[in-house]
């Protein structure tokens, strides 16, 4: 449709906004695991696996929000979310809506997309290309 053809020129900015907003949400998951902030009604016990996940989510989210090392960080986080889904969510129930795995699946595929698409606009990765 002609109505949407003009939007193509804003694709780098839309990708940048997707990356930043996804990263900000992901940082919350890490900060909740590591620092219980925002305060959770069910705080996570800091086992080795939970600590590792919290560090990946918090530090990886910050790097993605800044657009720094976007592709390798996104690759690592996509793998983390796949593992989180299959270890933590899928054993509870087959359906993601029943096992609370919706977010893990969405994060996984958004991060996987960033591996291929790159950071988009507003990224430190692209500062020398401008």
């Amino acid at each position: 449709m002609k109505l949407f053809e003009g939007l193509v020129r804003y694709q780098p900015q839309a990708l940048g906004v997707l990356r930043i907003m996804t990263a900000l949400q992901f940082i919350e998951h890490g900060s909740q695991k590591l620092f219980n902030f925002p305060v959770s009604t069910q705080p996570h016990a800091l086992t080795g696996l939970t600590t590792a996940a919290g560090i990946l989510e918090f530090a990886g989210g910050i790097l993605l929000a800044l657009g720094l090392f976007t592709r390798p960080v996104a690759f690592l986080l996509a793998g983390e979310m796949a593992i989180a889904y299959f270890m933590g969510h899928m054993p509870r129930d087959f359906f993601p809506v029943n096992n609370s795995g919706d977010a893990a699946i969405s994060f996984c595929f958004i991060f996987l997309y960033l591996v291929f698409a790159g950071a988009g606009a507003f990224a430190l990765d692209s500062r020398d290309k401008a």
Side-chain angles (χ1 to χ4, degrees), residues 81 85 89 95-109:
M81 287 295 93
Y85 180 76
H89 297 282
F95 297 102
V97 71
N98 291 338
N99 67 25
S100 301
D102 317 53
I105 293 170
S106 294
F107 279 129
C108 181
F109 281 94

Side-chain angles (χ1 to χ4, degrees), residues 8-110:
V8 171
R9 67 176 170 226
Y10 299 108
Q11 188 173 0
Q13 291 82 5
L15 178 57
V17 170
L18 174 69
R19 173 185 48 81
I20 292 166
M21 293 310 299
T22 302
L24 292 175
Q25 291 178 2
F26 205 60
I27 290 167
E28 284 187 58
H29 286 272
S31 70
Q32 193 171 57
K33 283 180 182 75
L34 296 173
F35 314 118
N36 196 30
F37 181 80
V39 176
S40 173
T41 56
Q42 300 171 341
H44 297 275
L46 281 179
T47 64
L49 198 56
T50 306
T51 302
I55 291 169
L56 283 171
E57 292 164 9
F58 189 72
I62 290 171
L63 288 171
L64 279 185
L66 295 173
L68 195 57
F69 309 113
T70 300
R71 290 176 194 257
V73 169
F75 182 76
L76 184 68
L77 297 181
E80 182 213 356
M81 287 295 93
I83 291 168
Y85 180 76
F86 287 110
M87 282 182 67
H89 297 282
M90 192 168 177
R92 292 187 217 157
D93 193 287
F94 177 77
F95 297 102
V97 71
N98 291 338
N99 67 25
S100 301
D102 317 53
I105 293 170
S106 294
F107 279 129
C108 181
F109 281 94
I110 291 170

